Amino acid sequence: DIQMTQSPASLSASLGETVTIECRASEDIYNGLAWYQQKPGKSPQLLIYNANSLHTGVPSRFSGSGSGTQYSLKINSLQSEDVASYFCQQYYDYPTFGAGTKLELK
Amino acid sequence: EVQLVESGGGLVQPGRSLKLSCAASGFTFSSFAMAWVRQAPKKGLEWVATITSGGSNTYYPDSVKGRFTISRDNAKSTLYLQMDSLRSEDTATYYCAKEGYTFGVMDAWGQGASVTVSS
C-alpha cells in the first residue's frame, strides 16, 4: 500500500492569511493526488484532482501543486467558511488517504 | 444535481451482517464507477470498495476483503455494500461516493450511514 503522510495535523490561521498543507507519498504517485475538504458534521467534498486541477465550483483561492512524492494544497486569502479538515488521497494505486489537517481560525 | 442517499445503517452485534444501500440521482448512474469510503469516529478516511460502471469488476483493501461485497443495480440506480462477519473496528460512518474524472477520484459523496458494531 502507498502511505500518505500529511502535515501539519492541525493549523491555526487568521482571516486573509495564506495557508499551505503538505502531503508526502511513500512512493512516486505520478500526480495521482486529490484533496478533499470536510466541514464539521458534513461529508468530504472534492477540491483538487490530478494534483493541480480545480474541481468544478471550487473557489480559485484553492490551488494544488507538486510532483513525484511531494504535494501541497494552498489556500489564499483564508475565509471563515474554509474552517474544515483537509485530506489528501492518492489514486495511482488503490486509494489511500492522509490522516488529515484540521484548520481553525486564530 | 448529483444526489447520493445512503440507508441501512444501525447497531449490529459482532459477527453479524448488515447491508447498506445508496440511492443515486442527478447523473447517469450506469456510466460511472462507484465507491464506499468509511470514517471511524474522530478518525480519518478509509477506502472500502469500488465497483466499475457495469459491475463486472470490484476492488477491496485487505481490511475488508472476503467480508464485504460491493454490488450495484443500474436499473434502480442503487449501490450496495453487504458487510458480513462484522467486527468492532468496522464501526464507522460509511459514505457512498461517485467516481469521476478518473478511477479513484471521488467527485460526489453522500451524507453517510452510521454503523456501530457492538454487543
Side-chain angles (χ1 to χ4, degrees), chain B residues 84-95:
Chain B
D84 299 323
S85 303
L86 281 162
R87 307 166 179 167
S88 58
E89 54 263 37
D90 297 319
T91 294
T93 296
Y94 285 74
Y95 295 102

Side-chain angles (χ1 to χ4, degrees), chain B residues 8-68:
Chain B
L11 174 64
V12 61
Q13 293 179 327
R16 303 298 291 263
S17 299
L18 198 65
K19 188 172 185 176
L20 303 180
S21 299
C22 171
S25 61
F27 65 103
T28 305
F29 181 74
S30 59
S31 295
F32 293 91
M34 298 292 294
W36 289 96
V37 176
R38 69 184 179 184
Q39 185 171 34
K42 305 293 185 185
K43 298 290 186 182
L45 299 166
E46 180 186 17
W47 166 70
V48 170
T50 292
I51 187 167
T52 52
S53 57
S56 55
N57 293 297
T58 57
Y59 308 90
Y60 308 92
D62 288 344
S63 58
V64 306
K65 194 177 295 183
R67 299 189 301 122
F68 288 13

Side-chain angles (χ1 to χ4, degrees), chain A residues 1 34 36 38 41-46 48-50 54-56 87 89-91 93-99, chain B residues 37 39 43-47 50 59-62 65 95 99 101-112:
Chain A
D1 293 4
Y36 299 88
Q38 185 178 31
K42 301 294 186 181
S43 57
Q45 300 295 315
L46 177 67
I48 302 281
Y49 63 99
N50 289 352
L54 204 63
H55 178 46
T56 304
F87 297 89
Q89 176 230 331
Q90 67 78 22
Y91 50 91
D93 194 6
Y94 289 161
T96 50
F97 292 85
Chain B
V37 176
Q39 185 171 34
K43 298 290 186 182
L45 299 166
E46 180 186 17
W47 166 70
T50 292
Y59 308 90
Y60 308 92
D62 288 344
K65 194 177 295 183
Y95 295 102
E99 296 203 1
Y101 297 113
T102 190
F103 183 86
V105 176
M106 297 157 207
D107 68 352
W109 298 61
Q111 86 288 351

